Amino acid sequence: MFTRQTLRRFHAALSTRLFVIATILAGGGVSAPVQAAENLRDALDQALSGASVDFTSATLATTAGVTSDTASRRWLGGLPTLSVSYLASDQSYGTDETELSLSFPIKSPLQRDSDARLDTVDPRLDAATQRYRAWYLSGTLRELFARERTAQAALPAATAIADLLANMESRLQDRLLAGSAERFELLAVQRQRLEAESALSALRADIAGITRLFASLTGDADLPESAGDNAVIPPVPTYAEHPQLELLDLNYRQQLASLRANSSSAAPWNVAVVGRELSIP
């Protein structure tokens, strides 16, 4: 028998488990400390390791209940149904009828063929998704690295320009007090100084945003010093092997097989076992 104390303990334990699960899902799983990447290749490996853990966990959660009933999924298009009916006669010498029916929705050949195609496409689609993630993360990390290096290269010049304009403004203020400068000169320099300081602030904010995004993808707080990229660009682009095109093609095949499996031509065949008993009251 449940008491109030038992219910409180149950709710406390359930709340604790839900909190732990929510924390893991929000944080992308429990991860070990990440070693600083020496180049973009190491950073890409770190990003892919985190993405593959999330992808593998989602795949296992999706297919956890599928492997246990492979035989039934191969032939049954739905759940079996059991029905019982009783018909009583209103005649004096009539016959009462009791019927027991067990129906099995058997998959049609078209539906089994569509399922076989889906079983072939799904593993290839998972592999193509992994390759697409690697391609996308690789391009994103290269873009972040190039933007950060460009911003870092422009930072000294932007800082020097802002300092120079601040110095010029200070000198013009002294000359204005001495009467050897016009006020419009000071206003023009002040405007240029504000524009230079705004550009410098935007440059620093861009660097900080790039660093945060890089850390969220790789777990590394700092960008690597070198790209370490020795990829060779082929003389003729191989568009057929592009990860995005491959993913689109496999998605199209999956959707086509799903449409065939759900069409009216692929409706399951209903096979029923009926037992009937006739009795005279």
Side-chain angles (χ1 to χ4, degrees):
M1 181 176 182
F2 287 97
T3 62
R4 292 184 177 179
Q5 186 176 6
T6 306
L7 288 175
R8 289 195 190 97
R9 291 178 180 176
F10 173 76
H11 286 301
L14 181 61
S15 301
T16 303
R17 292 179 181 179
L18 290 177
F19 176 76
V20 172
I21 293 173
T23 304
I24 294 175
L25 291 177
V30 180
S31 58
V34 178
Q35 185 179 1
E38 296 181 358
N39 49 48
L40 282 181
R41 170 58 58 183
D42 295 339
L44 178 61
D45 292 339
Q46 292 176 3
L48 288 176
S49 63
S52 63
V53 169
D54 296 339
F55 181 79
T56 304
S57 301
T59 303
L60 289 176
T62 304
T63 59
V66 175
T67 57
S68 60
D69 58 343
T70 305
S72 61
R73 287 181 60 251
R74 187 177 303 164
W75 294 102
L76 291 180
L79 294 176
T81 58
L82 177 66
S83 61
V84 180
S85 62
Y86 176 75
L87 181 61
S89 175
D90 56 355
Q91 303 294 328
S92 300
Y93 298 97
T95 303
D96 297 338
E97 181 178 335
T98 303
E99 182 178 287
L100 178 65
S101 175
L102 180 60
S103 300
F104 296 92
I106 305 299
K107 288 185 178 180
S108 63
L110 180 59
Q111 190 173 9
R112 289 200 301 271
D113 179 68
S114 300
D115 291 345
R117 294 190 181 189
L118 286 173
D119 293 338
T120 304
V121 170
D122 287 345
R124 296 177 58 191
L125 187 60
D126 293 340
T129 302
Q130 291 284 48
R131 287 191 292 272
Y132 175 78
R133 287 189 173 195
W135 169 79
Y136 187 84
L137 283 174
S138 175
T140 301
L141 294 181
R142 285 186 174 90
E143 180 184 359
L144 292 177
F145 182 82
R147 284 176 52 191
E148 198 267 346
R149 285 294 173 265
T150 303
Q152 290 288 359
L155 188 60
T159 304
I161 291 174
D163 293 341
L164 177 62
L165 290 173
N167 190 15
M168 290 179 59
E169 180 183 359
S170 177
R171 292 184 180 182
L172 280 174
Q173 287 177 348
D174 294 338
R175 290 178 57 190
L176 184 63
L177 292 176
S180 60
E182 298 293 338
R183 188 167 185 82
F184 74 89
E185 295 178 341
L186 177 62
L187 293 177
V189 172
Q190 285 179 342
R191 178 180 178 181
Q192 292 179 1
R193 177 184 61 82
L194 291 175
E195 292 178 353
E197 290 180 351
S198 177
L200 181 60
S201 299
L203 198 60
R204 289 172 175 170
D206 192 21
I207 294 175
I210 291 172
T211 304
R212 286 194 300 269
L213 181 56
F214 189 87
S216 67
L217 291 175
T218 64
D220 196 350
D222 299 321
L223 273 76
E225 293 296 331
S226 63
D229 193 359
N230 54 0
V232 179
I233 300 177
V236 179
T238 54
Y239 295 111
E241 299 177 1
H242 195 282
Q244 192 171 14
L245 292 178
E246 182 183 9
L247 191 62
L248 288 173
D249 179 63
L250 291 174
N251 275 318
Y252 170 76
R253 296 185 184 183
Q254 185 187 50
Q255 294 295 329
L256 186 62
S258 298
L259 289 175
R260 290 186 55 184
N262 296 323
S263 64
S264 58
S265 302
W269 298 346
N270 192 19
V271 177
V273 178
V274 180
R276 184 174 298 136
E277 180 183 14
L278 303 177
S279 61
I280 300 176

